[in-house]
Amino acid sequence: MRNRVRRMGEEAWLVECEPQEVAALAAELRERPVAGQVSVRVGAQTVLVRVRRAMAGRAGEDLRRREPGTQVGGDHPRPLREIDVVYDGADLAPLAALLDMSEEALVSRHQTEDWTVAFCGFAPGFAYLRGWSLDVPRLDSPRSAVPAGSVAVAGAFSAIYPTASPGGWRLLGRTAAEVWDVDRDPPALLDTGDRVRYRAVRDVLALRQGRDAGSGDRPADAAGTPTLRTTASGSTGLTVVEPGPLTLLEDLGRGGLEHLGVSPSGAADSAAARLANRLVGNERSAALLETFGGLRLRADADLVVAVTGATVDVVSALSASDRVPAVDGQLRPDGAADEESRWSVEVPVPCGTPWAVAAGEELRIGYPEHGLRVYVAVRGGVEVPVVLGSRSTDVLGGLGPPALVAGTTLQVGRARAAVALPEVELEAGSRGQSTAIRVLLGPRDDVLDADGLADLTRVAWTVSSTSNRVGVRLHGGRLGRHVREELPSEPMVPGAIQLPPSGEPVILLRDHPVTGGYPVVGVVLGADLDRLAQARPGDRIELLVVPEA
């Protein structure tokens, strides 16, 4: 029987196969790629093949012709890794009772199995190890925090938590093995196909001292507040006076690491970020600020900036230390200035245009009138250390620089080109009206019943206040489905419309998990993802199904 091939958006195909055939098919595709193939990722029983958009149709035909189960190039087993474990987990005794065996028998079973990494997901460096035939139920109520290094089991899998995170797996023990370290190459200790053997020990040497192995560029000051590292090439350029509700550093993301559990991340509205960088003469992938507004920045040198994205009022003002305050057009002595008149007349700054800011001036960005996210680029780009190929903050994976706080000093890189003039005026996000978002159905739209499929486009959806960079949650109705079983974890893509048990869709954005068990009933077109990222809580969303090209 041939593998079943399902479309997953404009640039990917999901191939279903038996669990024992996943690794072989992935290896074959890496050795004999289909037309336009970009990357291959695996899930529990699926293989995701990303392709160039123009070649998607031809790639799908090629995949349907492939026979399952035969790996080309021979069998090359990966080396065996032994991992020391102290079996003292909180769930060891209750799980042994649930499985009707002694604790000693459960430990023996766990450490004598030959485990193989089936795939990585959930979090950076989180490897799903397949080995035993047991089916272990997850906890009814997940823990809010599972310590890094916890050795756990769920379903037919075992795993080691790479960093502290919430989790519903059952904890058997702990290890000091550093399964994730962004300063190591490769950062993940375990990769797909690796073989693992657990070994029981009385104690382990704690290796995690002074930092979280998953945090990357996130040192802290004496009070525990995250601070930014600096680079040797940058020069001081901006100081954060007020960060607003949330201001992050982003670029165009870190691609090619999804197989290690790392999401692509990057600017949520990539078109607005590219435009801002173009306006100030930066490389399109230079780091810039992504903010919800309420941001105040002081220029510590003469700079050129540009503001794009959501519709927002921006002004610049010069402090009294640099210019005598003006009152009714008249200058008055510095000594007469009070707190309210510390600044001269504010000058409006037009969005979508390069703007010179003198040293000492303060750039004040209000809260958006329409849209959600505002982008601020500075000529030369913001200089922070690169983490796994990007300067972006990944809020789900905990990678990259921390959110900006008052007093943060930002270095600016060396300018490379003349400032560009705007060529086009991009849409400035949603305006409280219904935003039409185009969707390709699949790969799991067949879980919907007839009413659920109709309601996908019939319901007037609204954006939930719980939405974030991971995903946009929609309210307005519950999509009916006739298939309710949980899926084995499958690879995810940006724009995937997941359907959790609540029936209310969640559309994944840039910081999405790279695997998931909720069915994906459709995928948003790439051209509409940026507009979706500008939808604010309460905005209306209209989903429009479009045919495959």
Side-chain angles (χ1 to χ4, degrees), residues 114-140:
D114 289 323
W115 299 90
T116 302
V117 178
F119 61 97
C120 295
F122 175 66
F126 191 99
Y128 289 74
L129 283 72
R130 181 182 282 121
W132 61 17
S133 58
L134 299 176
D135 187 7
V136 176
R138 288 175 169 82
L139 296 173
D140 292 334

Side-chain angles (χ1 to χ4, degrees), residues 101-292:
M101 62 175 64
S102 66
E103 293 180 37
E104 293 76 13
L106 178 56
V107 169
S108 177
R109 179 76 179 269
H110 188 256
Q111 68 169 334
T112 56
E113 294 282 359
D114 289 323
W115 299 90
T116 302
V117 178
F119 61 97
C120 295
F122 175 66
F126 191 99
Y128 289 74
L129 283 72
R130 181 182 282 121
W132 61 17
S133 58
L134 299 176
D135 187 7
V136 176
R138 288 175 169 82
L139 296 173
D140 292 334
S141 179
R143 292 180 171 90
S144 59
V146 175
S150 295
V151 178
V153 291
F157 297 101
S158 179
I160 302 168
Y161 279 78
T163 58
S165 66
W169 290 37
R170 297 182 184 262
L171 308 183
L172 298 186
R174 54 192 167 89
T175 180
E178 291 269 14
V179 294
W180 180 253
D181 182 354
V182 296
D183 296 323
R184 182 176 59 201
D185 186 18
L189 179 67
L190 304 175
D191 198 355
T192 303
D194 285 355
R195 298 182 301 138
V196 172
R197 178 74 59 82
Y198 294 111
R199 181 172 59 187
V201 296
R202 291 182 180 273
D203 201 358
V204 291
L205 176 65
L207 298 179
R208 294 174 177 82
Q209 296 179 356
R211 72 178 182 93
D212 186 336
S215 60
D217 180 44
R218 296 201 174 183
D221 61 18
T225 302
T227 60
L228 286 181
R229 290 178 182 168
T230 58
T231 63
S233 60
S235 60
T236 300
L238 288 169
T239 296
V240 178
V241 178
E242 172 58 51
L246 180 66
T247 299
L248 305 174
L249 287 173
E250 300 292 343
D251 54 20
L252 295 185
R254 48 178 65 84
L257 295 173
E258 291 93 340
H259 66 290
L260 297 180
V262 179
S263 69
S265 196
D269 183 348
S270 60
R274 289 194 299 269
L275 175 61
N277 274 324
R278 188 176 82 234
L279 289 170
V280 297
N282 287 343
E283 296 281 354
R284 65 200 299 267
S285 59
L288 76 174
L289 278 62
E290 177 182 282
T291 180
F292 288 151

Side-chain angles (χ1 to χ4, degrees), residues 305-328:
V305 301
V307 180
T308 62
T311 303
V312 67
D313 289 332
V314 184
V315 298
S316 65
L318 200 60
S319 70
S321 61
D322 295 295
R323 178 178 295 171
V324 178
V327 179
D328 296 328

Side-chain angles (χ1 to χ4, degrees), residues 27 50 365:
R50 282 193 59 239
I365 297 167

Side-chain angles (χ1 to χ4, degrees), residues 338-350:
D338 56 24
E339 185 63 27
E340 295 299 322
S341 60
R342 290 183 60 249
W343 301 90
S344 61
V345 176
E346 295 177 338
V347 178
V349 176

Side-chain angles (χ1 to χ4, degrees), residues 75-101:
D75 185 16
H76 303 288
R78 304 285 286 268
L80 178 68
R81 295 186 182 274
E82 290 191 337
I83 294 179
D84 292 342
V85 179
V86 177
Y87 285 95
D88 59 358
D91 300 316
L92 179 62
L95 180 58
L98 182 65
L99 298 175
D100 195 24
M101 62 175 64

